[in-house]
Amino acid sequence: MDMKTYIAKEGRDAARRLAFLSGTNYIYLTQIASGFRKPSGRLTLLLEHHSNGKLTRHELRPDLYPEA
């Protein structure tokens, strides 16, 4: 699932909680969802972890984490 779908499906509150747990803010997640920003490698791994795998590193940054 990509970030845009995650925010739409899980809701703003879940996305805000995810941002907090990942050490970023909700606005930054919306910028990722819109394609204006790319998460760093570290943030990508944190988002994958704190979303319980709903967001995957490959979907967030295929340039850094190609499919195996």
Side-chain angles (χ1 to χ4, degrees), residues 24-39:
T24 191
N25 59 49
Y26 175 73
I27 297 300
Y28 194 73
L29 293 187
T30 62
Q31 290 173 343
I32 293 169
S34 300
F36 290 114
R37 303 257 185 204
K38 287 185 179 182

Side-chain angles (χ1 to χ4, degrees), residues 21-65:
L21 292 171
S22 300
T24 191
N25 59 49
Y26 175 73
I27 297 300
Y28 194 73
L29 293 187
T30 62
Q31 290 173 343
I32 293 169
S34 300
F36 290 114
R37 303 257 185 204
K38 287 185 179 182
S40 67
R42 180 178 181 276
L43 180 58
T44 300
L45 296 175
L46 288 170
L47 292 170
E48 181 179 49
H49 174 74
H50 292 297
S51 70
N52 296 320
K54 291 180 182 176
L55 297 169
T56 66
R57 64 185 84 180
H58 171 71
E59 289 174 341
L60 292 170
R61 286 299 301 265
D63 57 323
L64 295 178
Y65 302 104

